[in-house]
Amino acid sequence: MLRTRRNLTKAFAISGACGASYAYGKWGLTPLDYPEMAIRSGRLGMTVVKIVKNFGDMKKLSPEAYKEQMPEFHLRTAQMLYDMCCANRGTYIKVGQHIGAMEYLLPIQYIDRFKTLHADAPKSTEAEIRSVVRAELGKDLEEVFDEWDWDPLGAASLAQCHKARLKETGEVVAVKVQHAAVQHSAHLDLMLMELGVMQCAKLFPEFKLGWLARTTRQNLPRELDFLNEASNADRCRQLMKDIPWLKIPKNLHKYCTSRLLVMEYLPGTMVSNKQELNQRKIDVDKTVERVTEMYSEMIFNHGFIHCDPHPGNVLVNKGKDGYPEIVLLDHGLYETISQDFQYNYSMLWRSMIRGDQKSLRKASAALNVESMFPLLAAMVSGRSWQSVKQGLKNTESITKKEDELIQAEISMWIPEMSEILEHIPKQMILVLKTNDLLRGLETTLGCRPGVASFVHMSEYCLRMMYAVEKLNRPSWKLYFDFQKETWAIFFYKMYLRTTKWGGEKVTDLLHGTKDERMVEWDKAFERTSS
């Protein structure tokens, strides 16, 4: 273990020196920036060394003690990573927010610790904001804005947003200002993170974390360019123009640059704030229905998906008709998905809803993880394998007991889940974040069973699959099957809305040991392969 710690420390020191030389030529950093780079690199290196040491101590324990102390280990590790991310800011906050959005994919200790970064990200100082405005617009802040509220509307990993009034037009706007140091530190941060991932892969080959480094590397440059965000918002607004209750702030392109975004000011209540939604008499069930419809439209109809779906980016107001209006913010990251992916993802969902294990395995094979299709189904649905194989339409909504059992067992499956995340298409990773948002809202807002996201998503899956299949093999049988399923979903929704479900009964393979669950999986494989 001592040699491991020395090797890790040496690797980070060498990478810091190489990174400094490389950054000097590529990103225009000067030797004056090197002390800050060294400090940030040192924080990352020391955190990794401490975690490795702690995990090494854990592996020395007996199996019983290991299982008993694992929650405490996760709690300590989550706090160390959180402290490091907050100290380094910028890119590290973005990665931390990504971790905080991976509910049902990571132990609850990490989710609870990192999800606070969506609301409590470190803030830029007044001097830093003034410097960015001056650099981007060529004028002092007071020359452009008559009023400026220094208490930010929200602070995120890469930027923060302020309410202001334009001097030229008197219009009230929201101004998104990139943190001053993010742009020139992001590339070095990514290089160091990738080094950390490689070192962890050597020490713990069972944990596949390359997907996290690749996803961040691919997405960060797009998120740093606010002109790209303005373009995404314009495209999304055009694609979704037929949804009257969806509001996307318009950008004032005259004032927009790569680090400054001036947009229409559209306030609202955060979608997860049940108390305020109730105070404003906004229907939480209808809210979840509409958020589900919004994301289903993106995934299944347009193939252009908003990929930062945390509650802080989804606001709710009460419309003139008394129903919820949704305000969608932060359009820096979108993913365009192919029709093949839409079809395979639709097949996956329809199979889970029906409990059709043969189709479920076929869809998982198309997503590159056929051999682990039960675990993929559990990750996508947020339900136990027992619930999925019965068919989600035939099971109760997830109970508190089932949710607690799933969370308690997640740490046992982290290596297998990381294997799945390493092999599924990159679009799937971003779609999983959307699933987590929808499931989290259903739980947080306490929605009735009839608004469960899988019910509404099944309608979009059905239409999407029918549209593709009728091009390949049009027939009256296909049409009648489509109509039959459409009406079945309609009557099922009516049934849910007039029937009170409840109870704590959970028949779940999570009651058993890991070996028992593997036996259950083997049985599933035997049935579906026959």
Side-chain angles (χ1 to χ4, degrees), residues 86-114:
C86 288
N88 280 358
R89 302 175 62 181
T91 310
Y92 291 84
I93 297 291
K94 171 58 66 175
V95 174
Q97 289 177 338
H98 188 67
I99 292 172
M102 297 178 70
E103 202 164 350
Y104 298 102
L105 299 180
L106 289 175
I108 193 65
Q109 292 86 350
Y110 298 91
I111 305 304
D112 285 347
R113 179 68 279 189
F114 280 95

PDB file of all heavy atoms in Angstrom, residues 86-114:
ATOM      1  N   CYS A  86     -15.217  21.186  -4.268  1.00  0.00           N
ATOM      2  CA  CYS A  86     -15.542  22.562  -3.883  1.00  0.00           C
ATOM      3  C   CYS A  86     -14.291  23.437  -3.837  1.00  0.00           C
ATOM      4  O   CYS A  86     -14.335  24.623  -4.200  1.00  0.00           O
ATOM      5  CB  CYS A  86     -16.239  22.588  -2.526  1.00  0.00           C
ATOM      6  SG  CYS A  86     -17.934  21.968  -2.579  1.00  0.00           S
ATOM      7  N   ALA A  87     -13.178  22.878  -3.395  1.00  0.00           N
ATOM      8  CA  ALA A  87     -11.938  23.646  -3.317  1.00  0.00           C
ATOM      9  C   ALA A  87     -11.402  23.962  -4.717  1.00  0.00           C
ATOM     10  O   ALA A  87     -10.924  25.067  -4.982  1.00  0.00           O
ATOM     11  CB  ALA A  87     -10.891  22.883  -2.512  1.00  0.00           C
ATOM     12  N   ASN A  88     -11.487  23.005  -5.629  1.00  0.00           N
ATOM     13  CA  ASN A  88     -10.960  23.203  -6.986  1.00  0.00           C
ATOM     14  C   ASN A  88     -11.933  23.921  -7.912  1.00  0.00           C
ATOM     15  O   ASN A  88     -11.525  24.470  -8.932  1.00  0.00           O
ATOM     16  CB  ASN A  88     -10.568  21.853  -7.595  1.00  0.00           C
ATOM     17  CG  ASN A  88      -9.218  21.372  -7.118  1.00  0.00           C
ATOM     18  OD1 ASN A  88      -8.542  22.059  -6.351  1.00  0.00           O
ATOM     19  ND2 ASN A  88      -8.803  20.210  -7.566  1.00  0.00           N
ATOM     20  N   ARG A  89     -13.232  23.852  -7.598  1.00  0.00           N
ATOM     21  CA  ARG A  89     -14.270  24.564  -8.338  1.00  0.00           C
ATOM     22  C   ARG A  89     -14.275  24.163  -9.828  1.00  0.00           C
ATOM     23  O   ARG A  89     -13.768  23.137 -10.211  1.00  0.00           O
ATOM     24  CB  ARG A  89     -14.100  26.084  -8.170  1.00  0.00           C
ATOM     25  CG  ARG A  89     -14.135  26.554  -6.744  1.00  0.00           C
ATOM     26  CD  ARG A  89     -13.838  28.035  -6.608  1.00  0.00           C
ATOM     27  NE  ARG A  89     -14.815  28.865  -7.302  1.00  0.00           N
ATOM     28  CZ  ARG A  89     -14.760  30.189  -7.355  1.00  0.00           C
ATOM     29  NH1 ARG A  89     -13.787  30.828  -6.728  1.00  0.00           N
ATOM     30  NH2 ARG A  89     -15.682  30.871  -8.002  1.00  0.00           N
ATOM     31  N   GLY A  90     -14.949  24.987 -10.622  1.00  0.00           N
ATOM     32  CA  GLY A  90     -14.951  24.810 -12.071  1.00  0.00           C
ATOM     33  C   GLY A  90     -15.360  23.433 -12.548  1.00  0.00           C
ATOM     34  O   GLY A  90     -16.447  22.931 -12.251  1.00  0.00           O
ATOM     35  N   THR A  91     -14.456  22.808 -13.280  1.00  0.00           N
ATOM     36  CA  THR A  91     -14.708  21.505 -13.889  1.00  0.00           C
ATOM     37  C   THR A  91     -15.033  20.451 -12.840  1.00  0.00           C
ATOM     38  O   THR A  91     -15.859  19.564 -13.071  1.00  0.00           O
ATOM     39  CB  THR A  91     -13.467  21.056 -14.683  1.00  0.00           C
ATOM     40  OG1 THR A  91     -13.065  22.124 -15.543  1.00  0.00           O
ATOM     41  CG2 THR A  91     -13.775  19.840 -15.522  1.00  0.00           C
ATOM     42  N   TYR A  92     -14.402  20.543 -11.689  1.00  0.00           N
ATOM     43  CA  TYR A  92     -14.636  19.558 -10.634  1.00  0.00           C
ATOM     44  C   TYR A  92     -16.081  19.630 -10.122  1.00  0.00           C
ATOM     45  O   TYR A  92     -16.674  18.614  -9.786  1.00  0.00           O
ATOM     46  CB  TYR A  92     -13.657  19.784  -9.479  1.00  0.00           C
ATOM     47  CG  TYR A  92     -12.224  19.460  -9.842  1.00  0.00           C
ATOM     48  CD1 TYR A  92     -11.419  20.392 -10.485  1.00  0.00           C
ATOM     49  CD2 TYR A  92     -11.685  18.218  -9.568  1.00  0.00           C
ATOM     50  CE1 TYR A  92     -10.108  20.102 -10.829  1.00  0.00           C
ATOM     51  CE2 TYR A  92     -10.369  17.909  -9.906  1.00  0.00           C
ATOM     52  CZ  TYR A  92      -9.594  18.858 -10.540  1.00  0.00           C
ATOM     53  OH  TYR A  92      -8.298  18.552 -10.889  1.00  0.00           O
ATOM     54  N   ILE A  93     -16.633  20.838 -10.060  1.00  0.00           N
ATOM     55  CA  ILE A  93     -18.029  20.984  -9.659  1.00  0.00           C
ATOM     56  C   ILE A  93     -18.940  20.321 -10.691  1.00  0.00           C
ATOM     57  O   ILE A  93     -19.920  19.659 -10.346  1.00  0.00           O
ATOM     58  CB  ILE A  93     -18.402  22.472  -9.501  1.00  0.00           C
ATOM     59  CG1 ILE A  93     -17.579  23.118  -8.388  1.00  0.00           C
ATOM     60  CG2 ILE A  93     -19.895  22.629  -9.225  1.00  0.00           C
ATOM     61  CD1 ILE A  93     -17.918  22.626  -7.003  1.00  0.00           C
ATOM     62  N   LYS A  94     -18.605  20.493 -11.962  1.00  0.00           N
ATOM     63  CA  LYS A  94     -19.406  19.880 -13.025  1.00  0.00           C
ATOM     64  C   LYS A  94     -19.426  18.366 -12.890  1.00  0.00           C
ATOM     65  O   LYS A  94     -20.485  17.727 -12.991  1.00  0.00           O
ATOM     66  CB  LYS A  94     -18.847  20.296 -14.396  1.00  0.00           C
ATOM     67  CG  LYS A  94     -19.459  19.568 -15.588  1.00  0.00           C
ATOM     68  CD  LYS A  94     -20.954  19.746 -15.684  1.00  0.00           C
ATOM     69  CE  LYS A  94     -21.374  21.158 -15.968  1.00  0.00           C
ATOM     70  NZ  LYS A  94     -22.840  21.289 -16.167  1.00  0.00           N
ATOM     71  N   VAL A  95     -18.276  17.769 -12.650  1.00  0.00           N
ATOM     72  CA  VAL A  95     -18.214  16.318 -12.469  1.00  0.00           C
ATOM     73  C   VAL A  95     -18.981  15.917 -11.204  1.00  0.00           C
ATOM     74  O   VAL A  95     -19.700  14.907 -11.186  1.00  0.00           O
ATOM     75  CB  VAL A  95     -16.756  15.839 -12.392  1.00  0.00           C
ATOM     76  CG1 VAL A  95     -16.686  14.355 -12.062  1.00  0.00           C
ATOM     77  CG2 VAL A  95     -16.051  16.096 -13.721  1.00  0.00           C
ATOM     78  N   GLY A  96     -18.850  16.717 -10.133  1.00  0.00           N
ATOM     79  CA  GLY A  96     -19.587  16.435  -8.906  1.00  0.00           C
ATOM     80  C   GLY A  96     -21.090  16.485  -9.112  1.00  0.00           C
ATOM     81  O   GLY A  96     -21.831  15.647  -8.586  1.00  0.00           O
ATOM     82  N   GLN A  97     -21.564  17.444  -9.908  1.00  0.00           N
ATOM     83  CA  GLN A  97     -22.992  17.524 -10.214  1.00  0.00           C
ATOM     84  C   GLN A  97     -23.441  16.308 -11.017  1.00  0.00           C
ATOM     85  O   GLN A  97     -24.547  15.801 -10.840  1.00  0.00           O
ATOM     86  CB  GLN A  97     -23.295  18.805 -10.988  1.00  0.00           C
ATOM     87  CG  GLN A  97     -23.191  20.056 -10.135  1.00  0.00           C
ATOM     88  CD  GLN A  97     -23.418  21.320 -10.937  1.00  0.00           C
ATOM     89  OE1 GLN A  97     -23.263  21.342 -12.154  1.00  0.00           O
ATOM     90  NE2 GLN A  97     -23.767  22.399 -10.258  1.00  0.00           N
ATOM     91  N   HIS A  98     -22.576  15.840 -11.902  1.00  0.00           N
ATOM     92  CA  HIS A  98     -22.886  14.637 -12.683  1.00  0.00           C
ATOM     93  C   HIS A  98     -23.067  13.440 -11.743  1.00  0.00           C
ATOM     94  O   HIS A  98     -23.998  12.648 -11.895  1.00  0.00           O
ATOM     95  CB  HIS A  98     -21.765  14.371 -13.679  1.00  0.00           C
ATOM     96  CG  HIS A  98     -22.061  13.286 -14.664  1.00  0.00           C
ATOM     97  ND1 HIS A  98     -23.033  13.405 -15.633  1.00  0.00           N
ATOM     98  CD2 HIS A  98     -21.540  12.040 -14.818  1.00  0.00           C
ATOM     99  CE1 HIS A  98     -23.082  12.291 -16.355  1.00  0.00           C
ATOM    100  NE2 HIS A  98     -22.184  11.449 -15.872  1.00  0.00           N
ATOM    101  N   ILE A  99     -22.187  13.336 -10.751  1.00  0.00           N
ATOM    102  CA  ILE A  99     -22.298  12.253  -9.773  1.00  0.00           C
ATOM    103  C   ILE A  99     -23.596  12.389  -8.983  1.00  0.00           C
ATOM    104  O   ILE A  99     -24.316  11.411  -8.751  1.00  0.00           O
ATOM    105  CB  ILE A  99     -21.083  12.277  -8.814  1.00  0.00           C
ATOM    106  CG1 ILE A  99     -19.807  11.893  -9.577  1.00  0.00           C
ATOM    107  CG2 ILE A  99     -21.305  11.327  -7.633  1.00  0.00           C
ATOM    108  CD1 ILE A  99     -18.533  12.075  -8.773  1.00  0.00           C
ATOM    109  N   GLY A 100     -23.927  13.625  -8.580  1.00  0.00           N
ATOM    110  CA  GLY A 100     -25.133  13.854  -7.794  1.00  0.00           C
ATOM    111  C   GLY A 100     -26.417  13.544  -8.536  1.00  0.00           C
ATOM    112  O   GLY A 100     -27.472  13.349  -7.913  1.00  0.00           O
ATOM    113  N   ALA A 101     -26.347  13.480  -9.870  1.00  0.00           N
ATOM    114  CA  ALA A 101     -27.538  13.183 -10.672  1.00  0.00           C
ATOM    115  C   ALA A 101     -27.697  11.699 -10.962  1.00  0.00           C
ATOM    116  O   ALA A 101     -28.674  11.295 -11.589  1.00  0.00           O
ATOM    117  CB  ALA A 101     -27.475  13.951 -11.993  1.00  0.00           C
ATOM    118  N   MET A 102     -26.766  10.866 -10.494  1.00  0.00           N
ATOM    119  CA  MET A 102     -26.783   9.448 -10.833  1.00  0.00           C
ATOM    120  C   MET A 102     -27.482   8.618  -9.759  1.00  0.00           C
ATOM    121  O   MET A 102     -26.961   7.622  -9.267  1.00  0.00           O
ATOM    122  CB  MET A 102     -25.354   8.952 -11.074  1.00  0.00           C
ATOM    123  CG  MET A 102     -24.683   9.641 -12.249  1.00  0.00           C
ATOM    124  SD  MET A 102     -22.988   9.105 -12.491  1.00  0.00           S
ATOM    125  CE  MET A 102     -23.247   7.445 -13.054  1.00  0.00           C
ATOM    126  N   GLU A 103     -28.673   9.054  -9.408  1.00  0.00           N
ATOM    127  CA  GLU A 103     -29.471   8.320  -8.431  1.00  0.00           C
ATOM    128  C   GLU A 103     -29.777   6.934  -8.988  1.00  0.00           C
ATOM    129  O   GLU A 103     -29.971   6.771 -10.184  1.00  0.00           O
ATOM    130  CB  GLU A 103     -30.773   9.073  -8.139  1.00  0.00           C
ATOM    131  CG  GLU A 103     -31.394   8.715  -6.815  1.00  0.00           C
ATOM    132  CD  GLU A 103     -32.445   9.734  -6.398  1.00  0.00           C
ATOM    133  OE1 GLU A 103     -32.552  10.784  -7.039  1.00  0.00           O
ATOM    134  OE2 GLU A 103     -33.135   9.461  -5.418  1.00  0.00           O
ATOM    135  N   TYR A 104     -29.818   5.932  -8.129  1.00  0.00           N
ATOM    136  CA  TYR A 104     -30.037   4.528  -8.489  1.00  0.00           C
ATOM    137  C   TYR A 104     -28.842   3.927  -9.238  1.00  0.00           C
ATOM    138  O   TYR A 104     -28.883   2.776  -9.636  1.00  0.00           O
ATOM    139  CB  TYR A 104     -31.311   4.337  -9.322  1.00  0.00           C
ATOM    140  CG  TYR A 104     -32.561   4.739  -8.598  1.00  0.00           C
ATOM    141  CD1 TYR A 104     -33.168   5.943  -8.869  1.00  0.00           C
ATOM    142  CD2 TYR A 104     -33.115   3.921  -7.622  1.00  0.00           C
ATOM    143  CE1 TYR A 104     -34.314   6.333  -8.191  1.00  0.00           C
ATOM    144  CE2 TYR A 104     -34.264   4.293  -6.944  1.00  0.00           C
ATOM    145  CZ  TYR A 104     -34.855   5.501  -7.230  1.00  0.00           C
ATOM    146  OH  TYR A 104     -35.974   5.882  -6.560  1.00  0.00           O
ATOM    147  N   LEU A 105     -27.773   4.717  -9.447  1.00  0.00           N
ATOM    148  CA  LEU A 105     -26.574   4.179 -10.084  1.00  0.00           C
ATOM    149  C   LEU A 105     -25.383   4.208  -9.135  1.00  0.00           C
ATOM    150  O   LEU A 105     -24.371   3.577  -9.393  1.00  0.00           O
ATOM    151  CB  LEU A 105     -26.223   4.984 -11.353  1.00  0.00           C
ATOM    152  CG  LEU A 105     -27.273   4.992 -12.459  1.00  0.00           C
ATOM    153  CD1 LEU A 105     -26.775   5.826 -13.630  1.00  0.00           C
ATOM    154  CD2 LEU A 105     -27.591   3.579 -12.925  1.00  0.00           C
ATOM    155  N   LEU A 106     -25.499   4.945  -8.037  1.00  0.00           N
ATOM    156  CA  LEU A 106     -24.430   5.042  -7.046  1.00  0.00           C
ATOM    157  C   LEU A 106     -25.035   4.953  -5.652  1.00  0.00           C
ATOM    158  O   LEU A 106     -26.225   5.236  -5.468  1.00  0.00           O
ATOM    159  CB  LEU A 106     -23.680   6.376  -7.200  1.00  0.00           C
ATOM    160  CG  LEU A 106     -22.785   6.549  -8.422  1.00  0.00           C
ATOM    161  CD1 LEU A 106     -22.227   7.971  -8.463  1.00  0.00           C
ATOM    162  CD2 LEU A 106     -21.652   5.536  -8.430  1.00  0.00           C
ATOM    163  N   PRO A 107     -24.232   4.578  -4.658  1.00  0.00           N
ATOM    164  CA  PRO A 107     -24.744   4.545  -3.284  1.00  0.00           C
ATOM    165  C   PRO A 107     -25.286   5.898  -2.850  1.00  0.00           C
ATOM    166  O   PRO A 107     -24.803   6.953  -3.276  1.00  0.00           O
ATOM    167  CB  PRO A 107     -23.504   4.150  -2.468  1.00  0.00           C
ATOM    168  CG  PRO A 107     -22.663   3.382  -3.417  1.00  0.00           C
ATOM    169  CD  PRO A 107     -22.856   4.042  -4.749  1.00  0.00           C
ATOM    170  N   ILE A 108     -26.280   5.867  -1.994  1.00  0.00           N
ATOM    171  CA  ILE A 108     -27.003   7.072  -1.598  1.00  0.00           C
ATOM    172  C   ILE A 108     -26.093   8.098  -0.929  1.00  0.00           C
ATOM    173  O   ILE A 108     -26.357   9.307  -0.977  1.00  0.00           O
ATOM    174  CB  ILE A 108     -28.177   6.692  -0.659  1.00  0.00           C
ATOM    175  CG1 ILE A 108     -29.135   7.870  -0.482  1.00  0.00           C
ATOM    176  CG2 ILE A 108     -27.649   6.201   0.691  1.00  0.00           C
ATOM    177  CD1 ILE A 108     -29.844   8.279  -1.735  1.00  0.00           C
ATOM    178  N   GLN A 109     -24.996   7.650  -0.304  1.00  0.00           N
ATOM    179  CA  GLN A 109     -24.101   8.588   0.370  1.00  0.00           C
ATOM    180  C   GLN A 109     -23.519   9.605  -0.611  1.00  0.00           C
ATOM    181  O   GLN A 109     -23.352  10.785  -0.286  1.00  0.00           O
ATOM    182  CB  GLN A 109     -22.957   7.832   1.072  1.00  0.00           C
ATOM    183  CG  GLN A 109     -23.391   6.981   2.249  1.00  0.00           C
ATOM    184  CD  GLN A 109     -23.834   5.590   1.841  1.00  0.00           C
ATOM    185  OE1 GLN A 109     -23.993   5.298   0.655  1.00  0.00           O
ATOM    186  NE2 GLN A 109     -24.029   4.720   2.825  1.00  0.00           N
ATOM    187  N   TYR A 110     -23.185   9.151  -1.832  1.00  0.00           N
ATOM    188  CA  TYR A 110     -22.637  10.053  -2.849  1.00  0.00           C
ATOM    189  C   TYR A 110     -23.731  10.968  -3.392  1.00  0.00           C
ATOM    190  O   TYR A 110     -23.494  12.164  -3.625  1.00  0.00           O
ATOM    191  CB  TYR A 110     -22.006   9.249  -3.984  1.00  0.00           C
ATOM    192  CG  TYR A 110     -20.848   8.394  -3.527  1.00  0.00           C
ATOM    193  CD1 TYR A 110     -21.052   7.079  -3.100  1.00  0.00           C
ATOM    194  CD2 TYR A 110     -19.551   8.907  -3.494  1.00  0.00           C
ATOM    195  CE1 TYR A 110     -20.001   6.295  -2.661  1.00  0.00           C
ATOM    196  CE2 TYR A 110     -18.491   8.125  -3.059  1.00  0.00           C
ATOM    197  CZ  TYR A 110     -18.714   6.819  -2.643  1.00  0.00           C
ATOM    198  OH  TYR A 110     -17.674   6.044  -2.196  1.00  0.00           O
ATOM    199  N   ILE A 111     -24.916  10.410  -3.597  1.00  0.00           N
ATOM    200  CA  ILE A 111     -26.020  11.196  -4.146  1.00  0.00           C
ATOM    201  C   ILE A 111     -26.388  12.328  -3.179  1.00  0.00           C
ATOM    202  O   ILE A 111     -26.495  13.494  -3.578  1.00  0.00           O
ATOM    203  CB  ILE A 111     -27.254  10.309  -4.403  1.00  0.00           C
ATOM    204  CG1 ILE A 111     -26.890   9.117  -5.295  1.00  0.00           C
ATOM    205  CG2 ILE A 111     -28.379  11.130  -5.015  1.00  0.00           C
ATOM    206  CD1 ILE A 111     -26.265   9.482  -6.609  1.00  0.00           C
ATOM    207  N   ASP A 112     -26.563  11.986  -1.899  1.00  0.00           N
ATOM    208  CA  ASP A 112     -26.964  12.987  -0.910  1.00  0.00           C
ATOM    209  C   ASP A 112     -25.914  14.089  -0.761  1.00  0.00           C
ATOM    210  O   ASP A 112     -26.254  15.261  -0.580  1.00  0.00           O
ATOM    211  CB  ASP A 112     -27.201  12.327   0.454  1.00  0.00           C
ATOM    212  CG  ASP A 112     -28.513  11.555   0.491  1.00  0.00           C
ATOM    213  OD1 ASP A 112     -29.336  11.741  -0.430  1.00  0.00           O
ATOM    214  OD2 ASP A 112     -28.703  10.755   1.426  1.00  0.00           O
ATOM    215  N   ARG A 113     -24.642  13.710  -0.835  1.00  0.00           N
ATOM    216  CA  ARG A 113     -23.581  14.702  -0.660  1.00  0.00           C
ATOM    217  C   ARG A 113     -23.425  15.603  -1.890  1.00  0.00           C
ATOM    218  O   ARG A 113     -23.315  16.833  -1.785  1.00  0.00           O
ATOM    219  CB  ARG A 113     -22.257  13.974  -0.380  1.00  0.00           C
ATOM    220  CG  ARG A 113     -21.042  14.883  -0.188  1.00  0.00           C
ATOM    221  CD  ARG A 113     -21.096  15.703   1.072  1.00  0.00           C
ATOM    222  NE  ARG A 113     -21.939  16.908   0.927  1.00  0.00           N
ATOM    223  CZ  ARG A 113     -22.023  17.875   1.801  1.00  0.00           C
ATOM    224  NH1 ARG A 113     -21.360  17.815   2.935  1.00  0.00           N
ATOM    225  NH2 ARG A 113     -22.779  18.916   1.591  1.00  0.00           N
ATOM    226  N   PHE A 114     -23.466  15.021  -3.087  1.00  0.00           N
ATOM    227  CA  PHE A 114     -23.150  15.788  -4.295  1.00  0.00           C
ATOM    228  C   PHE A 114     -24.340  16.515  -4.901  1.00  0.00           C
ATOM    229  O   PHE A 114     -24.155  17.478  -5.643  1.00  0.00           O
ATOM    230  CB  PHE A 114     -22.512  14.872  -5.345  1.00  0.00           C
ATOM    231  CG  PHE A 114     -21.056  14.611  -5.103  1.00  0.00           C
ATOM    232  CD1 PHE A 114     -20.648  13.480  -4.417  1.00  0.00           C
ATOM    233  CD2 PHE A 114     -20.095  15.499  -5.524  1.00  0.00           C
ATOM    234  CE1 PHE A 114     -19.314  13.235  -4.174  1.00  0.00           C
ATOM    235  CE2 PHE A 114     -18.749  15.272  -5.284  1.00  0.00           C
ATOM    236  CZ  PHE A 114     -18.352  14.135  -4.605  1.00  0.00           C
TER     237      PHE A 114
END
